[in-house]
Amino acid sequence: RHLLTAARLAASELDGGGSAHYFVDARAIEGAICALAPPTASSQLDDLSVVELLLLACAKRLVDKEVPTPHTLAHVLREYDEFARTADEASNQYALPRAPLSKAFEQLCAVGLITVVGGAGARESRPLHLTIAPRLVHDYIKSSHKIPTTVVRFATSWLS
């Protein structure tokens, strides 16, 4: 999405010169990308699905509960299982198998909200690091209108 925006910006700068035909080269795209502001945390969170936000909330809960580090995907998935087990019947749609949850986790890593440290070992046992402030996740989920109430309750309480 950001690359497309940069290409349009580069093209519009060239078109502004009155040229009827223009070509966008790598330097123009690179300049346009550098001119773009980096995405804000809230815009990154806006692009996430409810399941991705729920996994991010599970990672946040590990920090809130002061679970000893290193936190791993296995810990996050245990938190997710706790949500699925204790959620009301309307939230059964979030009782997903591991494959889609792993894919959602990979998306969180791809956008840089979670980083996995170290390359050795099974994927679920490698240490991870939440790169967004837990408070930002909490505030976003609490104020978002797209997130179901059951998810908000789970994500914003750490006492359970």
Side-chain angles (χ1 to χ4, degrees):
R1 188 175 92 197
H2 296 293
L3 184 57
L4 183 60
T5 303
R8 286 184 183 141
L9 181 61
S12 69
E13 286 179 9
L14 290 172
D15 195 32
S19 151
H21 301 286
Y22 55 86
F23 296 97
V24 178
D25 65 359
R27 275 183 278 184
I29 291 176
E30 182 180 7
I33 288 172
C34 291
L36 290 173
T40 63
S42 120
S43 72
Q44 285 182 308
L45 295 174
D46 283 338
D47 293 338
L48 298 179
S49 70
V50 174
V51 172
E52 291 163 343
L53 284 167
L54 192 49
L55 284 172
L56 194 61
C58 289
K60 175 197 93 63
R61 283 171 56 97
L62 294 172
V63 174
D64 290 347
K65 290 173 156 182
E66 298 178 354
V67 172
T69 56
H71 301 143
T72 64
L73 177 55
H75 290 118
V76 172
L77 293 176
R78 258 187 244 124
E79 286 290 318
Y80 191 94
D81 288 343
E82 180 183 330
F83 165 77
R85 194 172 65 272
T86 60
D88 60 21
E89 206 170 292
S91 296
N92 282 343
Q93 63 184 337
Y94 300 112
L96 301 171
R98 291 287 192 241
L101 294 175
S102 292
K103 186 74 173 163
F105 181 79
E106 288 170 13
Q107 178 61 23
L108 293 174
C109 294
V111 297
L113 295 172
I114 291 179
T115 56
V116 177
V117 183
R123 181 175 19 164
E124 287 192 14
S125 63
R126 292 192 331 228
L128 60 87
H129 176 71
L130 190 61
T131 58
I132 184 171
R135 189 72 199 171
L136 287 174
V137 175
H138 175 90
D139 292 345
Y140 179 84
I141 290 174
K142 195 166 186 175
S143 66
S144 178
H145 298 291
K146 76 174 189 177
I147 302 171
T149 306
T150 307
V151 175
V152 173
R153 253 186 271 126
F154 175 78
T156 57
S157 73
W158 57 271
L159 299 174
S160 55

